[in-house]
């Protein structure tokens, strides 16, 4: 098991070249309406969240605040994405976001966690029970918190993956705050030319996202590393030559 040299999101991908998977995250801040001068919050510091944070900075965001609970991720996000970080396990995230934005909240909030979001307290147990009973197909914890923390008339972008129905969606807060809620799959024809240009200019670098390289017979280990986020795993890549 080795750090992946010159690899971006898939076996054989040239160093520094964005793949379609990375393109999904690069286009997201633009689809979310991030503009120069905005304060952007990103919930999740995995490969998806790191790339979204970096893309928001490329689009001219004044500040980008990245939120997560995994201890190895803040240094990577600060170094590669240039974002401020919040450890949600030791900080009241909503209060800290208000403190950093003069009491208003971020104008754009990107949810980059998805259906397996975790939280502390009884709501997580409630969501988990509903998911296991198939009463909902995902845990929308991070989406709820994005909606409540976002600036009035701001934008919430759901980048994390969801399957179907979720419970306790705060629609009233969306309406009363006048929020725009968006999501989408990557618009390839719209964003691939821009990403290739920025990659050639050295503005988009993705090789660092592949933290572990393994052989095909180590595929179960690769999945376990990625699923449980052990050994600082960001992305595990399987290459035949290993």
């Amino acid at each position: 098991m080795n750090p992946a040299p010159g690899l971006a999101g898939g076996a054989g991908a040239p160093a520094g070249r964005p793949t379609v998977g990375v393109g999904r995250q690069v286009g997201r801040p633009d689809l979310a309406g991030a503009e120069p001068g905005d304060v952007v919050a990103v919930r999740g510091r995995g490969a998806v969240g790191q790339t979204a944070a970096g893309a928001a900075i490329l689009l001219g965001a004044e500040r980008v605040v990245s939120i997560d609970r995994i201890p190895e991720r803040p240094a990577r996000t600060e170094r590669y994405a240039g974002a401020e970080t919040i450890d949600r396990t030791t900080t009241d995230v909503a209060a800290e976001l208000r403190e950093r934005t003069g009491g208003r909240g971020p104008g754009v909030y990107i949810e980059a966690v998805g259906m397996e979001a975790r939280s502390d307290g009884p709501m997580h147990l409630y969501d988990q029970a509903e998911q296991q009973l198939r009463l909902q197909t995902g845990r929308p914890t991070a989406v709820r918190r994005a909606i409540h923390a976002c600036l009035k008339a701001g934008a919430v972008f759901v980048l994390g993956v969801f399957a179907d129905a979720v419970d306790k969606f705060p629609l009233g807060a969306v309406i009363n705050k006048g929020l725009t809620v968006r999501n989408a799959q990557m618009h390839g024809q719209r964003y691939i030319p821009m990403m290739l240009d920025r990659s050639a200019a050295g503005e988009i670098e993705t090789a660092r996202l592949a933290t572990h390289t393994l052989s095909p017979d180590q595929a179960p280990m690769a999945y376990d590393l990625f699923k449980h986020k052990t050994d600082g795993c960001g992305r595990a890549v399987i290459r035949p030559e290993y």
Side-chain angles (χ1 to χ4, degrees), residues 3 8 10 13 45 67 96 136 138 149 157 166 183 205 219 236-238:
R45 292 194 204 115
I67 304 149
E96 183 65 18
Q136 64 175 355
F157 199 95
V166 297
N183 74 291
E205 191 279 317
V237 178
I238 297 172

Side-chain angles (χ1 to χ4, degrees), residues 202-217:
E203 296 177 348
I204 298 175
E205 191 279 317
T206 57
R208 61 181 172 76
L209 299 175
T211 56
H212 294 71
T213 303
L214 300 95
S215 62
D217 61 350

Side-chain angles (χ1 to χ4, degrees), residues 13-242:
R17 174 168 292 180
T19 63
V20 170
V22 172
R24 293 179 62 244
Q25 292 89 45
V26 173
R28 286 309 193 263
D30 180 52
L31 290 172
E35 297 178 346
D38 278 340
V39 177
V40 178
V42 181
R43 177 71 175 263
R45 292 194 204 115
V48 173
Q50 288 182 42
T51 310
I57 290 174
L58 282 177
L59 290 171
E62 180 180 343
R63 299 170 68 185
V64 176
V65 183
S66 176
I67 304 149
D68 206 321
R69 64 183 179 89
I70 307 299
E72 296 87 356
R73 291 177 174 177
R76 292 183 198 161
T77 308
E78 291 170 351
R79 177 179 178 185
Y80 294 113
E84 305 171 27
T85 59
I86 295 176
D87 181 349
R88 73 167 183 80
T89 64
T90 60
T91 307
D92 182 331
V93 174
E96 183 65 18
L97 287 173
R98 289 193 297 271
E99 177 68 24
R100 298 191 188 194
T101 57
R104 302 192 309 161
V108 176
Y109 200 128
I110 299 173
E111 186 278 340
V113 181
M115 69 174 72
E116 296 184 350
R118 297 182 59 87
S119 66
D120 301 318
M123 184 55 75
H124 176 67
L125 299 177
Y126 176 88
D127 278 336
Q128 196 170 38
E130 281 210 322
Q131 190 176 28
Q132 291 174 350
L133 291 170
R134 301 296 188 266
L135 298 176
Q136 64 175 355
T137 54
R139 301 192 294 268
T141 308
V143 178
R144 295 187 193 115
R145 295 189 174 181
I147 289 169
H148 290 302
C150 194
L151 172 72
K152 290 181 178 179
V156 172
F157 199 95
V158 183
L159 172 53
V161 175
F162 285 87
D164 192 5
V166 297
D167 193 13
K168 300 292 188 292
F169 182 83
L171 182 59
V174 172
I175 294 171
N176 292 330
K177 297 178 74 173
L179 300 178
T180 298
V181 180
R182 302 184 68 182
N183 74 291
Q185 293 297 322
M186 202 275 277
H187 298 176
Q189 293 180 335
R190 177 176 178 181
Y191 288 110
I192 289 294
M194 175 273 289
M195 289 188 299
L196 292 175
D197 289 343
R198 287 187 179 272
S199 179
E203 296 177 348
I204 298 175
E205 191 279 317
T206 57
R208 61 181 172 76
L209 299 175
T211 56
H212 294 71
T213 303
L214 300 95
S215 62
D217 61 350
Q218 293 176 302
M221 180 191 298
Y223 182 78
D224 187 74
L225 286 167
F226 175 71
K227 179 179 179 179
H228 298 289
K229 304 174 180 64
T230 51
D231 195 33
C233 183
R235 283 289 188 271
V237 178
I238 297 172
R239 298 183 67 174
E241 59 267 35
Y242 279 76

